[in-house]
Amino acid sequence: MALSCLTRALRSLTLSQPALLSSQAAARSNLGAQVPSSAVIQWRGFLTTASLEQNRIRWKQREKYTIRPIGMKKTGGRDHTGRIRTHGIGGGHKQRYRWVDFHRLRYEANKEGQPFEEKVVEVRYDPCRSADIALVAGGERKRWIIATENMQAGDIIKTSGVIGRMAVSANEGDAYPLGALPVGTLVNNLEVRPGKGSEYIRAAGTSGVLLRKVNGTAIVQLPSKQQVQVLETCIVTVGRVSNIDHNKRIIGKAGRNRWLGIRPSSGLWQRKGGWAGRKIKPLPPMKVYVNLPSVSTS
Amino acid sequence: MFPETAQRLKTAAPLFSHTAFLTDLRRLSAHGGARRHLTVGRCLTAKVPPPRNPRERVEIPGLEMVTYGERMHYVPGLAKPATQHWERDYKDPRYYKSPPAHEMLLYKDKPCYMFNQRTSALEGVRQAAWLTKTQVIPGLPAQLLSPAGNPENQIPDQDERVQNAIKHARFWDTTEDRPRKEKYSNTLLLNLLHLCATLQSSHPAVGRRMLAENYSLATTWKRGEDLLQIRGQNGLLLNSMDPLPEVSGKQEVADTADHVLDTFYPVSPTIDLQKVHVYKEEVNHTGFRDDYPYPHAHTLYFLESADPRCKLRPEQFRTKMIMFTFGNALARAHKLYGTRPQRLLDRPVTVQSVGTNGRIFQFMVFQLNTTDLSGDDGIKNQMWLDEDVELYDFAKVRPLIKKKQVKIPAGLAGYKPETFSKFLALYLHGAV
């Protein structure tokens, strides 16, 4: 079938003018008929190979948000070339991905700009991360968020984007901009660029500390003691992330690690170099995510 | 070439035209003795990839793109010729692409919230009560249950026959070890209905009823600013020629005006309802034609396992029961009194419903007092709900033995006769 289609298409590719007998060619030239060079049949090319794309990342290309768990394809540490990029990953229990909404301050349609409240419906284990996730419902939508330490079903959590003159006494689980919180609060799910979504302090039991607020920016200490300066309109959640005893768990046996998808490391003895051993060094300089106006020397 | 390979090839290679493909097939297969078995070097059963969005053409005014269209072959560096959009001048259902939602004829800016058979409402019975402006009263009304004590309204050998019905549904109705839940719950319901219907000799009004299945219900009403609709194919409905008598008197109906509906801030009452912009306004259809001899809905019977894809929790199942019972009552009221909202109906419409999962029953009586549902105040509808009534404790095929002791014996255990008497009372309501 493919052959016949191919031949049919290629047949249309052949001469734009059919082969004429010499008498007909003479007649045509006598008549002075202009051979239209553009009297060609428009056609478009076709692909002679099979479909080129792979099925690797199609599971995560869904555009519409859903709370339904999505079936996941494990990579085994392999990248697009097929070779191992990260060792020690592979196997493990099958997992379904629950799409967590990291933009805590996401307004519903037609309700922009107003602080809103949501009710926690359920707090459950997530196989894809160390923290627990919470299903929250507000207005007409439901979404998954990272649960904080003492979050339970039935709690009401508030999200607001308003920075008032006075600092808000925030409850655990609420989300406010950094400028609205008092100095010294424990925070998690930190955004470093306003509106980008939280990328820091999301692991189980972690929390950052709001150190100080300096005209329009705020300085937060991350769990690694690294300090970070961000705009005060970045949204954070108050409290510690859930599942605080995560670092105290004992794996117990090699099999449990394999269930988690962690493959054994290479058994080859390798001489430890300068990277190993305890290092005592000063903290790296504070990372600034704000474009401060530079002092120009005129 | 075999037809199934042909089918898969067709799906795997959408580029080639179907008719040409068929003619080639026919030519090949009708070639007489020498059949060519064409093979292709790729998997024939692949999933069809989703259509890729074509690269966006950037039109720069004043700049004319030189295309390779005239040259009849691809030339690197020249632009791809733009193809004109071509529409078939006749309608071919095989190649019909439906227009996007905002171009459809029935598109409206105001959304409508639809409740259907697969809706799983987050807040459960409270949400259904708010949407239908109903006061929930736990327990069935006393005047419904009082005739159950009368031996005239009982089936001879009632307990034994009901136990036989349960055993038939749970043990005997299969050639395998045990029947599956969908099967036994359905069989049990039909057996119980059959038992109730044997009282036709002593209660002639039972004969003026008819069972109906899979009819499509549609009702519309306004609740505040939102337009709500119930649509769906119901399960089993017992219709009757005569309407059900009202359960609560005029005084109780007037007292419902003082009742305040439960709200559940911050969750909106329309959560989990399907929001559509393309809908028909003012649809009110009971599912039957006007000249149907049994117009009044008497009891609805819901099975938890009716839709295998949609598993509802008990609370959500009760919500579905409430909404569809209300839908039937409202459709009837709209037909009798018109679609304009009426503050107080002269004769309230009463509909009952029973839901089961094969062992646990939910009984409900719904009385529609008003069709004026836009505000939160005023007379409310009433609903009597009896939840989670067990018919029997265990019906085990193999006994449960722990540490060499029989904990739960095989067979039917823990039969409760009160449940069937409630079932019978609901059945005989209006016929006693």
Side-chain angles (χ1 to χ4, degrees):
Chain A
M1 189 276 308
L3 250 185
S4 58
C5 291
L6 191 63
T7 44
R8 197 175 354 102
L10 288 171
R11 213 177 299 131
S12 69
L13 256 188
T14 48
L15 319 160
S16 53
Q17 315 169 43
L20 300 168
L21 294 175
S22 53
S23 52
Q24 291 168 326
R28 210 181 247 201
S29 55
N30 281 347
L31 285 171
Q34 224 179 354
V35 178
S37 60
S38 60
V40 297
I41 317 150
Q42 285 282 345
W43 70 284
R44 61 176 99 167
F46 54 84
L47 201 63
T48 53
T49 56
S51 161
L52 297 173
E53 65 244 325
Q54 297 164 313
N55 200 7
R56 273 182 344 113
I57 48 169
R58 225 174 276 149
W59 66 268
K60 46 178 163 174
Q61 280 170 347
R62 200 194 146 99
E63 280 124 16
K64 186 156 185 249
Y65 182 81
T66 177
I67 58 166
R68 206 171 43 87
I70 303 172
M72 221 164 72
K73 266 191 170 19
K74 291 194 190 238
T75 63
R78 270 84 178 164
D79 63 5
H80 65 285
T81 59
R83 296 194 175 196
I84 295 183
R85 183 80 86 82
T86 311
H87 289 276
I89 300 180
H93 198 286
K94 234 182 182 151
Q95 295 172 347
R96 281 194 294 175
Y97 176 66
R98 279 129 183 112
W99 192 335
V100 173
D101 191 3
F102 289 111
H103 277 90
R104 183 66 186 268
L105 189 69
R106 194 189 290 267
Y107 296 110
E108 269 188 288
N110 314 330
K111 285 188 204 164
E112 305 277 331
Q114 304 149 26
F116 56 93
E117 288 186 339
E118 282 165 312
K119 181 174 152 188
V120 176
V121 174
E122 175 195 12
V123 177
R124 61 157 290 159
Y125 172 79
D126 189 6
C128 305
R129 61 194 81 246
S130 52
D132 293 336
I133 50 174
L135 180 65
V136 300
E140 281 169 19
R141 66 157 179 207
K142 293 187 279 195
R143 56 188 182 148
W144 292 108
I145 59 167
I146 301 271
T148 56
E149 191 183 346
N150 295 321
M151 216 183 242
Q152 271 150 29
D155 293 349
I156 309 272
I157 53 179
K158 191 164 170 213
T159 313
S160 159
V162 168
I163 306 179
R165 233 166 34 88
M166 286 192 47
V168 183
S169 79
N171 299 322
E172 193 201 302
D174 294 345
Y176 290 102
L178 279 167
L181 290 173
V183 166
T185 31
L186 292 180
V187 295
N188 62 71
N189 285 72
L190 173 69
E191 277 186 340
V192 287
R193 298 216 182 274
K196 198 179 179 194
S198 60
E199 283 166 347
Y200 292 76
I201 324 177
R202 295 173 1 184
T206 50
S207 59
V209 182
L210 180 56
L211 290 178
R212 55 185 206 275
K213 294 192 270 192
V214 170
N215 62 337
T217 65
I219 295 177
V220 177
Q221 176 180 276
L222 301 180
S224 59
K225 312 284 190 302
Q226 153 87 307
Q227 295 183 1
V228 138
Q229 181 170 24
V230 293
L231 282 172
E232 65 172 8
T233 48
C234 293
I235 304 289
V236 283
T237 325
V238 176
R240 283 178 74 181
V241 182
S242 54
N243 203 7
I244 47 177
D245 294 327
H246 177 74
N247 57 349
K248 297 192 189 73
R249 68 175 175 165
I250 302 174
I251 301 285
K253 57 179 189 176
R256 188 161 281 119
N257 250 345
R258 297 306 297 269
W259 302 340
L260 299 171
I262 302 170
R263 271 178 52 220
S265 47
S266 149
L268 181 68
W269 179 87
Q270 309 194 6
R271 162 65 56 196
K272 294 195 204 295
W275 53 270
R278 182 167 176 188
K279 308 275 181 294
I280 298 172
K281 51 181 185 170
L283 271 185
M286 187 168 71
K287 182 97 177 98
V288 175
Y289 285 101
V290 177
N291 296 330
L292 293 168
S294 55
V295 179
S296 61
T297 53
S298 53
Chain B
M1 209 187 285
F2 302 113
E4 53 270 9
T5 4
Q7 182 71 16
R8 289 199 199 110
L9 258 184
K10 185 187 67 160
T11 49
L15 314 156
F16 305 107
S17 71
H18 181 67
T19 42
F21 170 69
L22 278 180
T23 46
D24 292 335
L25 253 191
R26 257 181 263 124
R27 216 185 310 136
L28 284 171
S29 49
H31 196 255
R35 282 172 202 231
R36 298 280 166 86
H37 180 67
L38 278 178
T39 49
V40 286
R42 64 170 196 269
C43 172
L44 297 176
T45 51
K47 212 195 275 197
V48 180
R52 304 291 297 266
N53 295 331
R55 198 188 298 168
E56 275 187 39
R57 292 187 73 87
V58 179
E59 298 286 340
I60 304 172
L63 204 65
E64 199 192 302
M65 303 292 269
V66 182
T67 65
Y68 56 79
E70 293 184 356
R71 296 217 214 171
M72 295 285 287
H73 63 97
Y74 173 70
V75 173
L78 295 189
K80 189 170 180 181
T83 49
Q84 263 91 33
H85 180 65
W86 171 79
E87 281 263 346
R88 238 171 275 268
D89 49 354
Y90 59 92
K91 183 174 176 257
D92 188 351
R94 282 192 65 232
Y95 300 107
Y96 171 69
K97 267 206 167 79
S98 58
H102 50 264
E103 282 172 30
M104 294 216 180
L105 285 172
L106 294 172
Y107 177 77
K108 288 150 189 86
D109 282 324
K110 184 169 176 201
C112 175
Y113 297 94
M114 296 247 194
F115 190 98
N116 53 41
Q117 287 278 352
R118 298 178 51 191
T119 309
S120 165
L122 181 73
E123 288 286 327
V125 174
R126 288 196 307 166
Q127 186 172 358
W130 193 93
L131 288 172
T132 56
K133 201 174 171 189
T134 310
Q135 178 186 12
V136 183
I137 304 166
L140 288 177
Q143 76 225 63
L144 206 73
L145 298 174
S146 51
N150 199 345
E152 277 181 4
N153 297 332
Q154 288 175 7
I155 304 168
D157 294 328
Q158 181 171 305
D159 286 341
E160 196 196 316
R161 290 183 77 177
V162 174
Q163 282 176 325
N164 278 344
I166 302 171
K167 285 176 191 172
H168 170 248
R170 285 301 297 258
F171 306 127
W172 306 331
D173 190 23
T174 177
T175 51
E176 297 163 352
D177 291 338
R178 56 161 69 90
R180 272 168 298 127
K181 193 172 199 174
E182 305 89 50
K183 190 156 186 218
Y184 76 66
S185 54
N186 195 25
T187 323
L188 179 64
L189 186 67
L190 294 178
N191 286 351
L192 294 179
L193 277 174
H194 177 82
L195 276 179
C196 296
T198 53
L199 280 175
Q200 186 174 345
S201 45
S202 52
H203 298 77
V206 169
R208 292 161 63 81
R209 296 194 187 158
M210 176 61 70
L211 280 172
E213 219 174 353
N214 285 339
Y215 64 99
S216 297
L217 178 71
T219 330
T220 321
W221 77 101
K222 257 183 130 77
R223 190 85 178 89
E225 286 301 317
D226 307 317
L227 198 60
L228 298 162
Q229 278 196 9
I230 293 185
R231 298 281 195 102
Q233 284 215 328
N234 254 345
L236 198 58
L237 172 66
L238 188 66
N239 278 319
S240 97
M241 286 186 183
D242 323 305
L244 270 172
E246 57 188 42
V247 178
S248 71
K250 294 250 184 298
Q251 185 51 42
E252 290 168 22
V253 167
D255 287 341
T256 56
D258 305 325
H259 173 77
V260 176
L261 293 171
D262 271 345
T263 47
F264 22 89
Y265 179 77
V267 170
S268 151
T270 49
I271 199 173
D272 276 334
L273 297 183
Q274 187 188 9
K275 192 168 170 181
V276 285
H277 287 268
V278 178
Y279 56 93
K280 267 194 195 159
E281 271 176 348
E282 300 293 329
V283 273
N284 280 295
H285 202 267
T286 48
F288 298 94
R289 285 212 289 249
D290 288 332
D291 54 354
Y292 186 57
Y294 306 91
H296 297 94
H298 185 277
T299 316
L300 278 100
Y301 294 98
F302 290 92
L303 286 174
E304 246 178 58
S305 44
D307 191 357
R309 289 176 301 174
C310 175
K311 289 198 214 338
L312 295 173
R313 294 193 299 277
E315 187 72 12
Q316 275 67 38
F317 180 61
R318 284 191 278 273
T319 318
K320 180 169 108 167
M321 272 171 62
I322 297 169
M323 295 301 288
F324 275 93
T325 322
F326 168 78
N328 275 292
L330 193 66
R332 190 82 212 120
H334 279 309
K335 196 151 259 178
L336 285 175
Y337 301 104
T339 50
R340 276 186 43 240
Q342 306 254 343
R343 214 187 125 259
L344 175 62
L345 299 180
D346 306 324
R347 298 200 55 200
V349 179
T350 313
V351 185
Q352 299 171 150
S353 78
V354 175
T356 177
N357 74 343
R359 186 175 78 90
I360 303 181
F361 282 75
Q362 336 270 350
F363 299 110
M364 199 189 85
V365 181
F366 189 93
Q367 180 170 315
L368 188 76
N369 297 322
T370 170
T371 49
D372 180 15
L373 303 163
S374 10
D376 276 341
D377 50 348
I379 297 184
K380 319 244 175 342
N381 305 316
Q382 285 166 304
M383 182 175 80
W384 291 263
L385 181 62
D386 205 356
E387 347 182 293
D388 290 340
V389 189
E390 294 175 347
L391 183 57
Y392 52 91
D393 280 332
F394 298 101
K396 292 194 84 65
V397 172
R398 302 190 61 184
L400 181 71
I401 299 176
K402 291 272 182 198
K403 292 190 186 167
K404 296 192 187 168
Q405 282 185 347
V406 176
K407 298 286 178 202
I408 304 169
L412 189 62
Y415 169 67
K416 295 180 176 61
E418 305 86 36
T419 316
F420 183 72
S421 51
K422 283 185 194 169
F423 188 94
L424 191 58
L426 278 187
Y427 188 88
L428 288 177
H429 185 214
V432 157

